[in-house]
Amino acid sequence: MTEENLRLLENLYQQYNIPIKPLLAEIEAVYEKFPLALYNEIRAMNDHVARAFTTTDDDKAKKQIEKAYNHINRITRDCYKFLNLFYKQEAEKFDRSICSIEPRTTEDFKRMADYGSLSDKATRLVEIAKQNEHLVSDEETYQNYQNSYNAYRELHQFIVDNRRDVLSMNRKRRFKAVGSVIFSIITFILGCIVTNNNQEIVEVFKSFVAK
């Protein structure tokens, strides 16, 4: 194999080691099942590398290496896409929690504003990456997807740091709502007792039993 082909292969596996291997490890950690599409791309890449090594024709070997590069480019993009999707879904779960809270303190308002800003940034960068995927160079494409991934990682870290406080605020809100209902029922019953309207109390309890 020529020195040029060996250099191409060295660059290929440098890209595989950084950043792909850390991204693959992260995907394995967050997904219950490793995505089949990624598995197929990795297998195809290694198939082309094997063909490059087994052929005695240097030109054919170079073509096989170039095909391997096409697969590693797709692997890189797909890693960012799968991780962006996962963190987007995690953010949507958190969004439902935080949007159900009525902010009461300066800290609450700041928390919601910071979350909104980070969420908007991640969404915007993903859209930029998608819209320009086939319009710019491979290097720019990777950079765009990496920027969106970094934004989603920042958003996810914010969620991790604030999840406990948001859950606590949600519990307080539910307890307050339940307390209000109980207080209303007690007030109603006392009002009926004071007015000797026992029949109305009986009817209310019957309605609860019927439900």
Side-chain angles (χ1 to χ4, degrees):
M1 183 173 289
T2 64
E3 289 187 7
E4 181 187 1
N5 285 344
L6 288 173
R7 180 179 55 80
L8 288 172
L9 283 172
E10 182 181 357
N11 291 337
L12 178 80
Y13 280 103
Q14 282 180 351
Q15 185 175 342
Y16 184 79
N17 286 326
I18 301 174
I20 290 177
K21 280 183 72 174
L23 293 174
L24 290 174
E26 188 174 352
I27 287 172
E28 285 186 305
V30 299
Y31 278 92
E32 293 182 1
K33 187 176 180 180
F34 193 79
L36 182 60
L38 273 176
Y39 173 80
N40 288 336
E41 289 292 344
I42 294 170
R43 182 180 62 182
M45 180 199 74
N46 287 320
D47 283 346
H48 288 297
V49 171
R51 291 172 189 170
F53 271 110
T54 54
T55 183
T56 56
D57 188 316
D58 290 329
D59 288 335
K60 289 182 178 179
K62 186 176 181 179
K63 288 180 180 178
Q64 290 298 325
I65 295 171
E66 289 172 350
K67 290 180 180 180
Y69 265 100
N70 290 334
H71 287 289
I72 205 167
N73 290 340
R74 284 196 287 271
I75 292 168
T76 307
R77 290 197 299 269
D78 286 350
C79 281
Y80 286 128
K81 288 178 181 179
F82 276 111
L83 288 170
N84 285 345
L85 176 61
F86 173 80
Y87 290 123
K88 178 178 182 290
Q89 292 171 339
E90 289 295 294
E92 288 173 346
K93 295 176 187 176
F94 184 79
D95 186 67
R96 289 191 289 270
S97 298
I98 199 169
C99 287
S100 64
I101 295 173
E102 180 182 352
R104 297 181 180 275
T105 66
T106 302
E107 185 180 357
D108 293 344
F109 279 104
K110 184 178 184 305
R111 181 185 287 113
M112 295 188 75
D114 289 345
Y115 171 75
S117 177
L118 291 171
S119 179
D120 290 344
K121 178 183 176 182
T123 302
R124 184 178 69 256
L125 290 177
V126 166
E127 288 302 316
I128 290 173
K130 288 180 178 179
Q131 291 170 4
N132 292 281
E133 184 172 349
H134 302 293
L135 303 177
V136 297
S137 66
D138 286 340
E139 185 177 349
E140 289 177 281
T141 298
Y142 302 148
Q143 189 61 56
N144 287 338
Y145 273 109
Q146 187 175 39
N147 290 341
S148 62
Y149 163 77
N150 289 337
Y152 263 118
R153 285 288 297 167
E154 186 179 4
L155 176 62
H156 183 68
Q157 188 59 52
F158 176 89
I159 292 172
V160 171
D161 293 340
N162 290 273
R163 182 180 282 128
R164 181 174 295 180
D165 290 337
V166 170
L167 290 175
S168 176
M169 292 168 68
N170 265 325
R171 284 195 294 270
K172 290 179 181 178
R173 181 179 61 84
R174 287 194 294 269
F175 288 151
K176 184 178 179 181
V178 172
S180 298
V181 171
I182 293 174
F183 179 77
S184 298
I185 292 174
I186 292 174
T187 302
F188 169 76
I189 292 174
L190 289 175
C192 291
I193 292 173
V194 170
T195 58
N196 291 321
N197 196 354
N198 296 330
Q199 183 58 38
E200 189 169 350
I201 297 177
V202 172
E203 293 299 326
V204 169
F205 277 107
K206 281 183 177 180
S207 66
F208 276 114
V209 172
K211 291 178 182 180

